[in-house]
Amino acid sequence: MSIFQNDWVLNAIPLLVLAALVYALRQASKQPLWSEAFRRLRRNKVAIFSVIVIGLYGLVAVLDSVGKTDKAAGTRVTLLDQFAQKVGALSVRERTYSAPFARETTGEPQPRPLEAPGKHVLGTDGTGQDVLYRSLKGTRTAFLIGGLTLLISTPVALLLGLAAGYYGKTTDDVIQYVYGVLSSIPSILLLIALILVLGQGVLQICIALGITSWVGLCRLTRGETLKHRDREYVRGAKALGVSDYRILTRHILPNLLPIVIINVTLGFSGLVLSESILSYLGLGVGAEIGSWGNMIDAARDELAREPVIWWNLVGASSALFILVLAFNLFGDALRDAIDPRLRS
């Protein structure tokens, strides 16, 4: 059985990510820089709209993470599943394909009436499942992949970047050599190799993405630390006998947080896209797990059918596009709010 279905730690990842964001926002709002940034964000309609969209996706991910196991059926029933059952059409399983708002099946020699005629907004797939429902189920996988990967890669990038920039010399040379080697290998080839070694699964994909995605943030952190380590406030702290650990965590790191948060926000969308690409290549999460990548992969053969089955591809691609676009727009707005001088 899949670790994704049974491991409570993985089921709790969307909740942990949401709690971490709320905590970070509350703490940041107490700082003058962030208070002014939030005021600018509230005046940015694009940023507000992006936050609403991301919040709705996050709500769906949380609803699909909270639930209980049906011991009789041996399956996990989430709040999203219960909501789908109440709605009706989302949980109704048809015989086979049906077009959006259709009243009969599609692709059969003799089309048959549907059990929920005209109620499948995005149609149904080859197994008769509602495409809108499958698209909603893919949200949890996207947040799980993005959230867990960032929890793996961000601490590594910050630790190595701060160490390289602050200590320099041999430490800097070794860390530069490590990420230089990783950067010289095409990322998609390295990802495929890692997944073939680790095996397929949600946790394995997150580890593989974490190994390949920390380099950019590490290089950025190193460069910013190099600039800050020679400034007067750092020299003053050293003269007072403050330890290196305290200088790094209490003086340098807080000054890097705006850049780190912007990088993490924009990086989330890239991780979601990576999962879809891996699933398209047959190296993503299992077929039993809701995933936009799996839906797009299945749509390859459907586009060659007659009549063309296009709604499975449109449903998954639209859900993916809207989430990625929302994160990118919010990342740009956040960058402008934190430092208006960066606005082009």
Side-chain angles (χ1 to χ4, degrees):
M1 299 182 72
S2 171
I3 188 173
F4 183 81
Q5 297 288 342
N6 298 297
D7 194 334
W8 67 269
V9 176
L10 291 183
N11 288 330
I13 289 298
L15 294 173
L16 292 175
V17 172
L18 181 62
L21 287 175
V22 172
Y23 176 78
L25 289 174
R26 288 191 62 183
Q27 292 298 113
S29 63
K30 301 177 183 178
Q31 303 297 326
L33 170 65
W34 290 98
S35 298
E36 180 61 28
F38 288 150
R39 281 194 290 270
R40 295 194 190 102
L41 277 177
R42 286 195 292 268
R43 295 195 295 266
N44 190 326
K45 295 181 180 180
V46 174
I48 296 299
F49 180 75
S50 300
V51 170
I52 293 173
V53 171
I54 294 171
L56 291 175
Y57 273 86
L59 177 61
V60 172
V62 170
L63 290 177
D64 200 27
S65 300
V66 179
K68 59 183 180 180
T69 302
D70 187 347
K71 296 182 179 179
T75 58
R76 178 178 172 81
V77 180
T78 66
L79 293 179
L80 181 64
D81 298 328
Q82 296 175 15
F83 172 77
Q85 292 172 2
K86 292 181 179 180
V87 171
L90 291 178
S91 59
V92 173
R93 194 154 190 162
E94 307 292 351
R95 287 173 49 85
T96 183
Y97 295 107
S98 65
F101 298 107
R103 308 188 69 85
E104 58 185 20
T105 58
T106 300
E108 290 189 309
Q110 295 182 347
R112 301 190 182 185
L114 300 178
E115 294 186 19
K119 295 183 178 180
H120 296 290
V121 178
L122 293 177
T124 59
D125 61 10
T127 61
Q129 285 187 302
D130 188 271
V131 172
L132 176 59
Y133 177 60
R134 290 196 62 194
S135 299
L136 293 176
K137 296 288 284 186
T139 305
R140 176 173 175 259
T141 303
F143 273 79
L144 182 59
I145 295 292
L148 184 55
T149 302
L150 289 175
L151 290 177
I152 294 172
S153 63
T154 303
V156 174
L158 290 177
L159 177 63
L160 296 180
L162 287 169
Y166 184 77
Y167 293 107
K169 299 181 181 179
T170 305
T171 303
D172 189 20
D173 292 338
V174 171
I175 294 174
Q176 282 195 79
Y177 176 79
V178 172
Y179 70 60
V181 171
L182 286 176
S183 299
S184 65
I185 304 173
S187 58
I188 188 65
L189 295 181
L190 182 57
L191 266 177
I192 293 173
L194 289 171
I195 292 175
L196 291 176
V197 172
L198 298 173
Q200 288 184 247
V202 174
L203 184 59
Q204 292 88 333
I205 290 176
C206 290
I207 293 174
L209 287 171
I211 293 174
T212 59
S213 62
W214 62 271
V215 173
L217 180 57
C218 178
R219 183 182 286 116
L220 183 63
T221 304
R222 172 187 173 273
E224 292 297 315
T225 304
L226 284 172
K227 292 193 300 185
H228 284 278
R229 73 175 184 180
D230 293 325
R231 291 186 175 174
E232 293 182 358
Y233 71 91
V234 175
R235 292 181 180 179
K238 288 181 178 179
L240 292 173
V242 179
S243 65
D244 291 343
Y245 173 78
R246 190 173 180 84
I247 291 174
L248 287 170
T249 57
R250 297 296 298 273
H251 298 284
I252 295 180
L253 182 58
N255 287 289
L256 304 184
L257 282 181
I259 296 176
V260 172
I261 292 176
I262 293 169
N263 185 275
V264 168
T265 303
L266 295 174
F268 185 94
S269 58
L271 294 172
V272 175
L273 285 172
S274 296
E275 185 277 327
S276 299
I277 294 172
L278 289 173
S279 296
Y280 183 79
L281 296 175
L283 297 172
V285 298
E288 73 281 2
I289 299 174
S291 165
W292 296 328
N294 285 339
M295 294 176 66
I296 294 173
D297 180 44
R300 288 188 297 178
D301 297 330
E302 295 171 351
L303 293 176
R305 292 174 56 95
E306 182 60 41
V308 174
I309 309 298
W310 52 267
W311 45 89
N312 203 19
L313 176 63
V314 169
S317 300
S318 299
L320 176 63
F321 171 77
I322 293 172
L323 180 61
V324 170
L325 180 63
F327 265 103
N328 287 340
L329 291 176
F330 179 68
D332 290 339
L334 184 62
R335 178 195 60 192
D336 294 340
I338 292 175
D339 189 352
R341 293 174 301 175
L342 296 175
R343 187 178 303 170
S344 56

